[in-house]
Amino acid sequence: MNKKKKVNPLETKNAYITQPISQADKRSKDANIPIPSDENVERNKKWTEENQL
């Protein structure tokens, strides 16, 4: 019987190391596109700069 190893959903591998995820604070009316706040954009920019390869 083969047992699969459980994967931690919070652990990121190399695929998303420089791709931050922005929280959608609001959405556009026409296209329902997520729009993060300026604070979240700044936080994600800093995170990306710290984790560049």
Side-chain angles (χ1 to χ4, degrees):
M1 205 190 283
N2 292 336
K3 291 186 178 182
K4 289 187 175 182
K5 182 181 176 185
K6 290 186 179 182
V7 177
N8 181 355
L10 300 177
E11 180 181 342
T12 57
K13 299 292 182 183
N14 294 333
Y16 298 104
I17 196 164
T18 60
Q19 181 179 358
I21 299 173
S22 296
Q23 178 178 348
D25 296 313
K26 59 183 176 180
R27 292 191 173 266
S28 67
K29 293 179 184 177
D30 298 336
N32 201 27
I33 298 171
I35 303 172
S37 68
D38 290 340
E39 180 183 339
N40 282 334
V41 172
E42 281 185 39
R43 182 181 302 132
N44 290 338
K45 182 179 182 304
K46 289 178 184 177
W47 186 88
T48 301
E49 289 171 352
E50 289 177 6
N51 291 300
Q52 285 181 352
L53 299 175

